[in-house]
Amino acid sequence: MENFKMDTLQPGVTGRATSENGPLLPARAVWERFGICDRTLDRWLESPRLNFPRAIVVNRRRYWYLAEIEDFARALKSAA
């Protein structure tokens, strides 16, 4: 199991959780970053065509690695 440090603060990251692979963003921060709602996020996760990063689930809450979300955002911009 990954070593999570829930008390580490990361500047500019809404989620306060980090792991060995970098900061984690909670679902709410992902919604705000892309201007979407929870249901849209669920649809993105269901669509293999979008290749949206998979969530890490901790205590039934979803988190994403910041680096993977940034890579996805860059891919969206380059596809537009």
Side-chain angles (χ1 to χ4, degrees):
M1 183 159 191
E2 294 182 50
N3 182 19
F4 291 101
K5 299 173 194 152
M6 298 301 278
D7 59 345
T8 304
L9 296 176
Q10 296 292 327
V13 178
T14 303
R16 297 181 188 275
T18 63
S19 78
E20 294 171 359
N21 295 328
L24 293 169
L25 293 176
R28 181 170 303 280
V30 175
W31 306 337
E32 292 170 357
R33 178 174 286 259
F34 292 105
I36 60 172
C37 67
D38 187 40
R39 183 62 188 128
T40 300
L41 182 57
D42 291 340
R43 288 185 185 110
W44 286 8
L45 287 165
E46 293 169 3
S47 175
R49 185 176 56 92
L50 283 177
N51 199 26
F52 192 77
R54 294 286 146 211
I56 295 116
V57 179
V58 178
N59 292 330
R60 298 185 313 171
R61 295 178 189 254
R62 299 180 298 177
Y63 296 90
W64 285 263
Y65 291 115
L66 175 61
E68 290 180 0
I69 293 299
E70 288 173 342
D71 291 343
F72 177 76
R74 277 191 291 276
L76 276 181
K77 286 182 182 179
S78 67

